[in-house]
Amino acid sequence: LRFTNMRAAALEQLYQDFEMRGVDMFRGVHESAADDAEEDDAANQQFTAILRAATELVTEIDIVKNQMKPCFAPHWHIEALWSSCVAHVCSNHIVQQIGGPDGQNLPELTITQLLELVAWVEYFRETIEETFPEVASMRDTKKTYFEERPELFDSDKRSVNMQNATDSLAWVNNMLWEVH
């Protein structure tokens, strides 16, 4: 008989599904922007659409926390899994829009875009720190998460490693605040 670890497989599938939710959200934004590419204001529309998509994903943190979390065992830390996926996907798209971690495109943004970016970063930070209060005091993180998705599971893959999850959330929180 061959047994599988159903909990580990389920957690990994949730992680992939959560990540794909964010990727699909942004894919739709990019496709829509490509359709509007002839317009003079296409870049501005894409920037605004990316922030709108990021806002929707961050808003869903409360939905996951209040409606999904009670359906899972506490050690699954479903809100940390969702929030980490949202933070990773959103930060990558926003950092691309501003020209990388150094913000090379920031001088090219309009005042309205800069204000929208500042407002989004503050909204993200408030949401993350309200959901995970320990993140507010974390200024140094173990690693950076630009190109790779965070490793959120314990070694047995049967539960979320909260230290890794909060570390990745703190890194995104701090990195975006620096941009802010």
Side-chain angles (χ1 to χ4, degrees):
L1 270 181
R2 188 173 148 219
F3 290 95
T4 60
N5 188 336
M6 290 190 300
R7 184 185 318 162
L11 271 172
E12 180 59 34
Q13 187 63 53
L14 272 172
Y15 191 22
Q16 289 174 10
D17 290 349
F18 285 172
E19 194 171 48
M20 284 309 298
R21 166 81 173 113
V23 168
D24 288 344
M25 176 84 71
F26 285 106
R27 184 179 298 131
V29 166
H30 290 295
E31 289 171 0
S32 176
D35 291 343
D36 299 336
E38 281 73 79
E39 296 182 27
D40 293 337
D41 203 28
N44 187 33
Q45 287 180 2
Q46 180 172 354
F47 184 85
T48 301
I50 284 175
L51 288 181
R52 195 174 325 113
T55 298
E56 185 173 332
L57 289 169
V58 171
T59 300
E60 291 176 1
I61 289 172
D62 277 340
I63 294 168
V64 169
K65 180 178 145 187
N66 296 319
Q67 295 177 13
M68 285 181 67
K69 181 181 173 184
C71 300
F72 292 89
H75 61 272
W76 282 43
H77 300 288
I78 203 77
E79 75 285 4
L81 196 59
W82 171 255
S83 299
S84 294
C85 289
V86 165
H88 182 69
V89 171
C90 290
S91 65
N92 281 339
H93 284 277
I94 289 171
V95 167
Q96 283 177 348
Q97 287 295 302
I98 64 169
D102 297 330
Q104 295 174 355
N105 294 346
L106 286 173
E108 298 167 19
L109 297 179
T110 66
I111 295 296
T112 302
Q113 289 172 322
L114 290 169
L115 290 172
E116 287 173 346
L117 177 63
V118 166
W120 186 86
V121 169
E122 289 176 354
Y123 171 65
F124 174 81
R125 188 176 183 94
E126 179 182 303
T127 301
I128 292 299
E129 291 180 358
E130 181 181 299
T131 307
F132 305 96
E134 65 276 18
V135 169
S137 62
M138 294 175 69
R139 295 297 169 237
D140 295 319
T141 58
K142 289 189 223 170
K143 58 184 289 187
T144 60
Y145 298 91
F146 272 120
E147 298 300 322
E148 62 187 68
R149 81 182 204 183
E151 178 53 55
L152 299 179
F153 300 118
D154 285 327
S155 58
D156 65 2
K157 307 285 185 197
R158 295 178 56 156
S159 59
V160 172
N161 181 316
M162 282 303 293
Q163 186 175 1
N164 289 355
T166 54
D167 188 65
S168 73
L169 287 169
W171 180 81
V172 170
N173 201 31
N174 295 334
M175 184 269 304
L176 288 172
W177 194 253
E178 289 297 317
V179 168
H180 168 270

